[in-house]
Amino acid sequence: GNSVTQMEGPVTLSEEAFLTINCTYTATGYPSLFWYVQYPGEGLQLLLKATKADDKGSNKGFEATYRKETTSFHLEKGSVQVSDSAVYFCALSSGSARQLTFGSGTQLTVLP
Amino acid sequence: KAGVTQTPRYLIKTRGQQVTLSCSPISGHRSVSWYQQTPGQGLQFLFEYFSETQRNKGNFPGRFSGRQFSNSRSEMNVSTLELGDSALYLCASSLGTSGKTDTQYFGPGTRLTVL
């Protein structure tokens, strides 16, 4: 079956530090990959996505590249801000099923 | 374009009661999916509706059910509530196409507390 593994949290960084959150997946076929972000007390917001190998998704300074050879979709940002503090979820959808399979989430706290 | 809306935002119920949650998708979206989020189990897929038909179902007991109306609005119902049903219930809508670009957009969720 499908599965997503995210790096364990929580992650605490200082403002302007470099961020990497690792995500690897197992899936049948060629999945679409997503990063969602959840701010306290809110639902999930789509951050970025990629639908085929070597695609790079990007949004608000965040980037992730779909690596088929390593089955990875790591999230990166060059300079984090306090406002980036949230929980980040890696997810995939595969085949004809539209359901999303999520990782366990990574709590990010950015200190001023 | 308005986003996905969910009502109510918060609910408190007691064990044994039933509850109905509502979701209005983004205009033009025909697929609605429901997810349960708990600290212990994370985000789990409940079911998906498209054109008033359940198209996909997760591994939840029959106490969890849903439906979709002709205007694509969806409701989910949980009967005979248990303490373990306390969770954030998230609704997501998408166009519902078969292509890989179909993307789900989430509502703010309904926080259900079972006492």
Side-chain angles (χ1 to χ4, degrees), chain A residues 87-104:
Chain A
V87 181
Y88 292 81
F89 292 92
C90 185
L92 69 83
S93 66
S94 179
S96 60
R98 263 149 292 276
Q99 69 189 76
L100 289 166
T101 299
F102 287 90
S104 57

Side-chain angles (χ1 to χ4, degrees), chain A residues 30-32 34 36 38 41-44 46 49 51-52 66 89 97-100 102, chain B residues 9 35 37 43 45 48 55-56 88 90 97-98 100-108:
Chain A
Y30 301 96
S32 295
F34 306 84
Y36 285 88
Q38 186 174 36
E42 298 184 11
L44 302 178
L46 177 67
K49 68 179 184 182
T51 59
K52 62 183 188 297
Y66 189 144
F89 292 92
R98 263 149 292 276
Q99 69 189 76
L100 289 166
F102 287 90
Chain B
R9 292 293 311 275
Y35 295 83
Q37 185 178 24
L43 282 152
F45 171 76
E48 184 220 359
R55 191 159 63 173
N56 198 6
L88 181 66
L90 292 164
T97 61
S98 59
K100 294 189 70 179
T101 56
D102 197 33
T103 300
Q104 294 185 29
Y105 297 90
F106 285 79

